[in-house]
C-alpha cells in the first residue's frame, strides 16, 4: 500500500455518484465516510463552530468567529483547506474548557446535525455492518453525535491541543485531516493486516486520496435542494436537546442574532415588566401590543366559589417553559398560584404569580398542595421538567390522589430565535431568552374537566389517572407519550440527575434543578 506522501490527486476525482451505490446485502461491509457535504447535506462547518462559540463563549466569542470567517473562507478556497479550518478552530476553541466543549457536543450539536443528514449517504452508511468516519472537523465536536445517534464504530477527526484542561486553539500533529493527512489517518487505522474498506464516501477533490484506498468509492454531489432524512428514520430519536439558539447559525443568521440581542434584551425587559406590573386581566392585551401572541382554545372553568366551600381546580399542564403557569394565568385573566420543583431566585422575584416550591417529600408536598387548593385554583406541571420536542415525559401521579377537580391544559409555544429553557445554563435567564424572540407565541388549550368516573374517588389508581391525562394532552397536541423522567433528561444533557445539594445552612432539603 502506498504511503500518504506518495499519493496524488491525478484524475481520481471521477468517481461514480452516491446514487449508483447499492445498499442491499452490505451487512458485513465496512464503510468510511466524510462528514460535511457527505453525511451532512451542508458543505460548510461554520454553523457548528458557531454553535460551540455561542453556547460556551457567548455572543462575544460568536462575534469573533464571525469577524474571522472571511479570512477563514479566503484561506480555505484560495490557499489551503487546512489553513481555513485552523482559523475556525482557533477562533472557536482557544481558551475553552474541554468539558464545556464536550457538553455542547453531547447536548446541543446532535439536534442540528440530525436535521441535515443526507438521505443517500445515510442509505448506504446505515446498511453497512461496520461504520467509520473520517473528518476534518475536531473529533471532540462530532464524535458524540456520530456514535450515539448514527451508530458509528470509529470516528477519526482533527485532534485539538489541550493545556491544563483548556483548548489552546491549535491542532495536534499531523494537523487538520484533509487530503494526505486524511488518507494517512485511514492507513494508520487499517494497519498492515486489515483489509481495505469496502466503501468510501466523500464529496470533494481532496477526499479522492482516501477514497483510492477503498474497494468501492463514491462521491456525493452538492445538492442543497435534497430533503434531509426525517427524524422518524433515525436509529435514535432526539427527545432531549439543549442550547439557546433555535435556528442553525449560518453567517447571516449569526450576524442577525448578534445585532438583535441588545434590542431583544430591552424588549424582553419591557415585556416582563408589563407582565409583572399590570393587573392580570390587562396582561393579555399588553402582550399582544408588545408582539407576544397568546392563543386560547377551549372553555376555561370559572373561579372556585369559596363561600360555598368549593375547593379550587387543579390545572394539569404540559411543560414547555417555566412560563407555562404565567401564560395560563394570562389566558384566564387571573393569577393562578403554581407549585414547582425548582425556580431560580430571579424568576421568583419577577414572577407575577405566587410560586411554591415542592420539597420532593411526598407527604409534605401533598399536605401543601391540599392547603393551596382549599384557598383556590392551582397549577402544576407533573412532568417535573420541560421538553422541547413533541414528546410528553412521564406524569407524576401525586396530583391525582389529592383532588378530583382536575382540568388538563395542553400548552405549546413557538420561538424563532432563542429557546426559553436550559439544562446546562443559568435558569434565571430562561424568561429573558423567551421574551427576546421577535414574536414569541403561546397556545393554551383547555380540555374538558376530568369526569368523576375516571378519578381516584371512583376507584381508579393514581397512576391510571396520570397516564390517562398524559395521553389526553398528547392527543390534543399530536405529541408522543414517553416514560422518560427529568432524571433521564439531565443525564442526557448535563451528565447528572439534576439534583443539586445545597448547603444545610441555607436550605434544609436538596433542591432540584430544573423546571
Amino acid at each position: 500500500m502506498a504511503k500518504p506522501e506518495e499519493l496524488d490527486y491525478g484524475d481520481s476525482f471521477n468517481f461514480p455518484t452516491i446514487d449508483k451505490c447499492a445498499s442491499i446485502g452490505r451487512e458485513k461491509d465496512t464503510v468510511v465516510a466524510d462528514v460535511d457535504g457527505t453525511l451532512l447535506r451542508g458543505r460548510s462547518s461554520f454553523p457548528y463552530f458557531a454553535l460551540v462559540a455561542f453556547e460556551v463563549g457567548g455572543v462575544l466569542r460568536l462575534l469573533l468567529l464571525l469577524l474571522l470567517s472571511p479570512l477563514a473562507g479566503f484561506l480555505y478556497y484560495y490557499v489551503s483547506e487546512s489553513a481555513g479550518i485552523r482559523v475556525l478552530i482557533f477562533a472557536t476553541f482557544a481558551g475553552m474548557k474541554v468539558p464545556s466543549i464536550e457538553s455542547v457536543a453531547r447536548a446541543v450539536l446532535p439536534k442540528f446535525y440530525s436535521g441535515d443528514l443526507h438521505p443517500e449517504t445515510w442509505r448506504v452508511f446505515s446498511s453497512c455492518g461496520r461504520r467509520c468516519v473520517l473528518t476534518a472537523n475536531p473529533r471532540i465536536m462530532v464524535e458524540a453525535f456520530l456514535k450515539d445517534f448514527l451508530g458509528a464504530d470509529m470516528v477519526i477527526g482533527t485532534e485539538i491541543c489541550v493545556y491544563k484542561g483548556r483548548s489552546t486553539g491549535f491542532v495536534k500533529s499531523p494537523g487538520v485531516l484533509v487530503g494526505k493527512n486524511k488518507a494517512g489517518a485511514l492507513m494508520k487505522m487499517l494497519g498492515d493486516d486489515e483489509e481495505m474498506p469496502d466503501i468510501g464516501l466523500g464529496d470533494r477533490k481532496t477526499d479522492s486520496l482516501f477514497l483510492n484506498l477503498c474497494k468501492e468509492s463514491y462521491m456525493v454531489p452538492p445538492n442543497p435542494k435534497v430533503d434531509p432524512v426525517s427524524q422518524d428514520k433515525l436509529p435514535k430519536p432526539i427527545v432531549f436537546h439543549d442550547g439557546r439558539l433555535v435556528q442553525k447559525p449560518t453567517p447571516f443568521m449569526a450576524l442577525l442574532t448578534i445585532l438583535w440581542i441588545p434590542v431583544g434584551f430591552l424588549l424582553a425587559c419591557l415585556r416582563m415588566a408589563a407582565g409583572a406590573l399590570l393587573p392580570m386581566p390587562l396582561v393579555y392585551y399588553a402582550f399582544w401590543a408588545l408582539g407576544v401572541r397568546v392563543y386560547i382554545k377551549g372553555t376555561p372553568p370559572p373561579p372556585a366559589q369559596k363561600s360555598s366551600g368549593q375547593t379550587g381546580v387543579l390545572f394539569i399542564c404540559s411543560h414547555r417553559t417555566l412560563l407555562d403557569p404565567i401564560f395560563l394565568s394570562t389566558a384566564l385573566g387571573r393569577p393562578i398560584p403554581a407549585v414547582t420543583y425548582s425556580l431560580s431566585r430571579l424568576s421568583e422575584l419577577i414572577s407575577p404569580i405566587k410560586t411554591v416550591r415542592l420539597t420532593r417529600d411526598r407527604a409534605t408536598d401533598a399536605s401543601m398542595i391540599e392547603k393551596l387548593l382549599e384557598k383556590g385554583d392551582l397549577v402544576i406541571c407533573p412532568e417535573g421538567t420541560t421538553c422541547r420536542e413533541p414528546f410528553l415525559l412521564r406524569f407524576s401521579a401525586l396530583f391525582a390522589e389529592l383532588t378530583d377537580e382536575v382540568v388538563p391544559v395542553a400548552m405549546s409555544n413557538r420561538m424563532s430565535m432563542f429557546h426559553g429553557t436550559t439544562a446546562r445554563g443559568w435558569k434565571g435567564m430562561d424568561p429573558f431568552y423567551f421574551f427576546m424572540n421577535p414574536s414569541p407565541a403561546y397556545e393554551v388549550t383547555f380540555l374538558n374537566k376530568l369526569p368523576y368516573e375516571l378519578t381516584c374517588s371512583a376507584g381508579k389508581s393514581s397512576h391510571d389517572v396520570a397516564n390517562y391525562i398524559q395521553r389526553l394532552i398528547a392527543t390534543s397536541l399530536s405529541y408522543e407519550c414517553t416514560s422518560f423522567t427529568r432524571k433521564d433528561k439531565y443525564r442526557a444533557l448535563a451528565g447528572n440527575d439534576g439534583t443539586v445539594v445545597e448547603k444545610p445552612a441555607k436550605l434544609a432539603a436538596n433542591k432540584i434543578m430544573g423546571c
Side-chain angles (χ1 to χ4, degrees):
M1 186 177 290
K3 296 180 180 179
E5 57 269 16
E6 296 173 351
L7 297 171
D8 59 69
Y9 300 108
D11 297 325
S12 57
F13 187 53
N14 297 317
F15 294 107
T17 55
I18 185 69
D19 58 294
K20 304 295 195 301
C21 181
S23 56
I24 306 298
R26 297 284 193 177
E27 292 79 8
K28 295 183 180 180
D29 288 358
T30 298
V31 61
V32 179
D34 189 17
V35 176
D36 295 318
T38 305
L39 275 171
L40 303 180
R41 298 178 307 159
R43 297 168 62 88
S44 172
S45 58
F46 174 86
Y48 308 106
F49 282 103
L51 285 165
V52 177
F54 182 78
E55 298 298 341
V56 179
V59 66
L60 294 180
R61 179 60 70 103
L62 178 61
L63 176 61
L64 173 64
L65 176 64
L66 188 63
L67 292 175
L68 291 178
S69 61
L71 173 62
F74 175 82
L75 294 175
Y76 186 91
Y77 290 107
Y78 297 105
V79 179
S80 74
E81 290 184 22
S82 176
I85 296 172
R86 284 175 183 269
V87 172
L88 293 179
I89 292 175
F90 183 83
T92 302
F93 291 125
M96 285 185 178
K97 293 181 179 179
V98 172
S100 298
I101 302 172
E102 293 173 337
S103 177
V104 172
R106 179 181 64 249
V108 180
L109 296 185
K111 171 64 178 177
F112 292 92
Y113 280 136
S114 65
D116 199 34
L117 199 59
H118 197 291
E120 283 295 313
T121 309
W122 175 241
R123 174 181 62 82
V124 176
F125 190 80
S126 61
S127 67
C128 295
R130 189 182 181 206
R131 307 167 187 175
C132 304
V133 177
L134 275 175
T135 177
N137 287 313
R139 179 187 55 80
I140 194 173
M141 272 178 58
V142 299
E143 187 173 39
F145 167 71
L146 294 171
K147 287 189 173 181
D148 295 344
F149 291 91
L150 300 190
D153 299 290
M154 182 176 295
V155 177
I156 303 175
T158 301
E159 298 291 340
I160 61 173
C161 292
V162 177
Y163 179 72
K164 292 185 177 181
R166 291 181 180 269
S167 169
T168 63
F170 300 106
V171 299
K172 293 181 179 180
S173 178
V176 178
L177 294 193
V178 295
K180 294 181 178 180
N181 286 345
K182 187 176 288 188
L186 178 58
M187 293 172 65
K188 184 178 179 180
M189 180 191 79
L190 295 174
D192 297 327
D193 302 326
E194 194 165 344
E195 292 186 5
M196 297 170 61
D198 298 282
I199 305 174
L201 305 176
D203 68 289
R204 62 199 74 197
K205 185 175 182 178
T206 53
D207 288 338
S208 62
L209 295 182
F210 92 83
L211 292 178
N212 281 325
L213 302 175
C214 304
K215 296 177 183 179
E216 302 175 46
S217 301
Y218 300 90
M219 279 287 173
V220 181
N223 183 7
K225 294 183 179 180
V226 66
D227 293 328
V229 175
S230 59
Q231 295 292 319
D232 60 335
K233 293 184 179 179
L234 293 176
K236 182 179 178 182
I238 295 184
V239 179
F240 304 119
H241 61 93
D242 204 25
R244 291 296 190 183
L245 297 181
V246 172
Q247 300 185 45
K248 186 166 68 173
T250 61
F252 175 75
M253 193 64 203
L255 176 61
L256 193 63
T257 300
I258 292 170
L259 295 176
W260 175 258
I261 282 178
V263 178
F265 183 77
L266 294 176
L267 183 58
C269 292
L270 180 60
R271 290 166 168 172
M272 292 168 64
L277 300 177
L278 291 176
M280 193 57 70
L282 300 179
V283 171
Y284 173 85
Y285 303 100
F287 276 170
W288 272 89
L290 294 171
V292 181
R293 303 295 178 241
V294 184
Y295 303 100
I296 305 170
K297 296 182 178 180
T299 305
Q305 299 295 326
K306 296 181 182 179
S307 58
S308 62
Q310 180 184 356
T311 60
V313 169
L314 182 60
F315 293 98
I316 301 299
C317 295
S318 54
H319 205 5
R320 309 308 287 175
T321 74
L322 60 81
L323 298 172
D324 293 335
I326 295 174
F327 279 95
L328 174 70
S329 299
T330 302
L332 290 169
R334 62 183 190 273
I336 307 295
V339 291
T340 176
Y341 293 107
S342 160
L343 203 63
S344 71
R345 295 298 182 187
L346 176 60
S347 298
E348 275 188 318
L349 182 65
I350 61 178
S351 175
I353 63 174
K354 180 182 179 181
T355 58
V356 181
R357 294 188 180 219
L358 295 175
T359 64
R360 285 286 179 179
D361 179 80
R362 193 175 184 85
T364 303
D365 291 341
S367 175
M368 179 172 55
I369 292 173
E370 287 177 336
K371 291 179 180 178
L372 290 170
L373 285 171
E374 291 174 1
K375 298 178 181 178
D377 297 338
L378 186 66
V379 57
I380 187 171
C381 300
E383 289 173 276
T385 190
T386 58
C387 182
R388 297 174 176 178
E389 294 301 300
F391 298 94
L392 291 186
L393 308 187
R394 189 180 72 191
F395 277 30
S396 169
L398 175 62
F399 72 88
E401 302 171 5
L402 305 178
T403 181
D404 299 332
E405 301 295 317
V406 175
V407 174
V409 183
M411 310 289 289
S412 62
N413 54 26
R414 184 179 69 247
M415 293 157 283
S416 59
M417 290 187 74
F418 304 106
H419 285 293
T421 59
T422 182
R424 300 162 36 259
W426 181 38
K427 294 184 178 298
M429 289 300 295
D430 285 359
F432 288 92
Y433 273 106
F434 177 84
F435 284 115
M436 281 168 61
N437 285 284
S439 184
Y442 245 94
E443 185 175 287
V444 184
T445 303
F446 294 94
L447 305 179
N448 293 330
K449 180 182 173 182
L450 189 68
Y452 174 79
E453 59 269 19
L454 296 177
T455 65
C456 290
S457 296
K460 298 290 184 180
S461 72
S462 60
H463 292 286
D464 288 341
V465 175
N467 291 338
Y468 172 79
I469 293 179
Q470 183 197 37
R471 291 193 301 270
L472 192 67
I473 294 177
T475 301
S476 172
L477 295 170
S478 298
Y479 286 5
E480 183 179 335
C481 293
T482 75
S483 59
F484 292 123
T485 65
R486 59 176 312 284
K487 287 188 176 182
D488 296 315
K489 172 184 171 178
Y490 280 91
R491 285 169 183 161
L493 300 183
N496 57 62
D497 64 2
T499 302
V500 177
V501 179
E502 302 284 356
K503 295 181 181 180
K506 292 184 178 180
L507 294 172
N510 291 350
K511 296 302 177 184
I512 308 301
M513 283 177 60
C515 79

